[in-house]
Amino acid sequence: MSEAGAPVDFYFEFSSPYGYIASQLADDFEKRIGRPLRWRPTLLGPVFKITGQAPLIEVPMKGPYSRMDFERTARLHKVAYRHPGKFPIGTVAALRAFYWVSERDPAKARPLAKAVYRSYFVDGEDISAPAAVIAAARGVGIDAAALAAALEDPAIKERAKKEVEAAIAAGVFGSPFFVVDGEPFWGTDRMPMVEEWVRRGGW
Amino acid sequence: MSEAGAPVDFYFEFSSPYGYIASQLADDFEKRIGRPLRWRPTLLGPVFKITGQAPLIEVPMKGPYSRMDFERTARLHKVAYRHPGKFPIGTVAALRAFYWVSERDPAKARPLAKAVYRSYFVDGEDISAPAAVIAAARGVGIDAAALAAALEDPAIKERAKKEVEAAIAAGVFGSPFFVVDGEPFWGTDRMPMVEEWVRRGGW
């Protein structure tokens, strides 16, 4: 089952608090599992259409619990967290920016993802606006004008769309979501289980 | 925040695989946290009416994942598990039996819960039928005739109803669900977090 060295897919949605927390833990996690993590942002909106579910925060009973648990989980992991005033939001601009950068300058893709997440979950910027994504990108040395143009490029829009379709085809219905050699794991609190799965080669 | 020695509430639904797995881990867990665990079975049907959600197994994408994850999680914890042919089921008979026994002979309440769970998740018995609950109860030395009568007793029905209402009032929307000094935790995979919460008195 286990393919030593093969990447472990790390799916996340830029509007997801648990995805953000996982992104903050991801580098250490990657070292511990000893396999490269492939960061693959996606969108949950199209998933909710398939599953008939609503964003967590809007579900009676689960909503208030989740709202509290975002901050509790962040505190546990010593991750800075300020619940955004506008939440959840559409994150297609961030998604397109990520995949454009990952084609053009792959080494900047993770720094961009982290900067976008920080902008939303620490600084409270509304990253549904392309301008906020571009500002975050500029902060990590990405050409702002080129990115602004790329966000309107049909080829980039198509690439982002295909990534969301691929995530859905892989069964990704939440954020974060990990896939190890075809084995799916949903949730920040499953990261220890992913680690054990990699170590033991499954069970 | 932490009230040393005060019980930790352990809510579960008899039709819930994760509740069953938690019940198998509960005795060791109780020793580790050093506080008594108060077993409080409840029903999730009334919760789904409030949240507008469906049983996990019926949700597109999440359903197949969960079906796989029940067995994977059981294997991880070395808990015997055979996915029941009829699933999910109504568990009001098991609920009433539990609360009747907990009034009449509290020491037998946990053994009853474990026997009912084993009957469903290991032996494949349909515990929605009172006869299956009574058979499980007989196996742990409970008076079968008295229990059969109790299942039709309006006072026991009322007690069970009140327990479900109390669980909902406490915010219980899933199984297993733990409440420590008012702090809620949802899911088997949060048991390590509960442990840490108790140890540190929160964070």
Side-chain angles (χ1 to χ4, degrees):
Chain A
M1 279 292 277
S2 177
E3 304 165 32
V8 168
D9 285 319
F10 164 39
Y11 295 93
F12 57 95
E13 141 80 76
F14 280 110
S15 186
S16 158
Y18 296 121
Y20 159 66
I21 294 167
S23 79
Q24 296 288 302
L25 307 175
D27 293 344
D28 284 346
F29 177 70
E30 187 176 42
K31 279 178 205 143
R32 284 198 307 275
I33 63 175
R35 284 173 59 174
L37 217 51
R38 183 161 52 194
W39 290 41
R40 305 187 71 170
T42 188
L43 301 179
L44 290 184
V47 170
F48 294 143
K49 281 186 192 149
I50 295 169
T51 60
Q53 299 210 295
L56 206 47
I57 202 80
E58 295 170 12
V59 178
M61 301 185 78
K62 268 190 179 178
Y65 173 88
S66 304
R67 176 69 184 77
M68 170 281 289
D69 189 60
F70 298 154
E71 301 195 6
R72 178 175 66 183
T73 303
R75 289 197 311 274
L76 173 64
H77 294 296
K78 303 194 190 310
V79 166
Y81 186 90
R82 274 176 49 200
H83 192 68
K86 193 176 163 191
F87 178 84
I89 54 168
T91 58
V92 70
L95 188 77
R96 289 173 183 163
F98 180 91
Y99 286 111
W100 175 71
V101 171
S102 72
E103 284 178 11
R104 180 188 158 110
D105 189 358
K108 289 217 170 87
R110 283 191 199 193
L112 171 66
K114 289 178 186 175
V116 167
Y117 259 148
R118 194 167 49 241
S119 171
Y120 186 47
F121 286 109
V122 181
D123 303 329
E125 299 295 333
D126 174 6
I127 59 157
S128 66
V133 173
I134 293 166
R138 189 187 289 117
V140 293
I142 291 164
D143 181 335
L147 173 56
L151 292 181
E152 293 306 317
D153 180 345
I156 293 301
K157 292 183 180 183
E158 186 61 21
R159 167 75 195 273
K161 190 165 165 277
K162 289 250 178 288
E163 291 287 344
V164 174
E165 288 166 0
I168 290 171
V172 175
F173 58 80
S175 166
F177 201 102
F178 299 89
V179 180
V180 186
D181 308 326
E183 186 80 11
F185 297 86
W186 169 42
T188 314
D189 36 20
R190 287 303 180 89
M191 291 172 79
M193 196 190 265
V194 175
E195 220 176 304
E196 188 154 356
W197 188 270
V198 170
R199 192 174 55 75
R200 292 166 56 180
W203 57 78
Chain B
M1 281 290 278
S2 179
E3 304 164 36
V8 168
D9 285 319
F10 165 39
Y11 295 94
F12 57 95
E13 140 82 76
F14 279 111
S15 184
S16 157
Y18 295 122
Y20 159 66
I21 294 168
S23 78
Q24 294 289 300
L25 306 176
D27 294 341
D28 285 346
F29 177 70
E30 185 176 44
K31 279 178 206 144
R32 284 198 307 275
I33 64 176
R35 284 173 58 175
L37 217 51
R38 182 160 53 193
W39 290 41
R40 305 186 70 170
T42 187
L43 300 180
L44 291 183
V47 170
F48 293 144
K49 280 185 193 150
I50 295 170
T51 61
Q53 299 211 296
L56 206 47
I57 200 81
E58 294 169 12
V59 178
M61 300 184 77
K62 267 190 180 178
Y65 173 88
S66 305
R67 177 68 184 76
M68 171 281 290
D69 190 59
F70 299 154
E71 301 196 6
R72 178 175 66 184
T73 303
R75 289 196 311 274
L76 173 64
H77 294 295
K78 304 195 190 310
V79 167
Y81 186 89
R82 273 176 51 198
H83 192 68
K86 192 176 164 192
F87 178 83
I89 54 168
T91 57
V92 70
L95 188 76
R96 289 173 184 164
F98 181 90
Y99 285 110
W100 175 71
V101 170
S102 73
E103 284 178 12
R104 180 187 158 108
D105 188 358
K108 289 218 171 87
R110 284 192 199 193
L112 171 67
K114 290 179 186 178
V116 167
Y117 259 149
R118 195 167 48 241
S119 171
Y120 186 46
F121 287 109
V122 180
D123 302 330
E125 299 294 333
D126 175 6
I127 59 157
S128 66
V133 173
I134 293 166
R138 189 186 291 116
V140 293
I142 292 164
D143 181 334
L147 173 56
L151 292 181
E152 294 306 318
D153 180 345
I156 292 301
K157 290 181 180 183
E158 185 60 23
R159 167 77 195 270
K161 189 166 166 278
K162 289 251 178 285
E163 292 287 344
V164 174
E165 288 166 0
I168 290 171
V172 176
F173 58 80
S175 164
F177 201 103
F178 300 88
V179 180
V180 186
D181 309 325
E183 186 80 9
F185 297 87
W186 169 43
T188 314
D189 34 20
R190 287 302 180 88
M191 291 171 78
M193 195 189 266
V194 175
E195 220 176 302
E196 187 153 356
W197 188 270
V198 171
R199 191 174 56 76
R200 293 165 57 178
W203 59 77

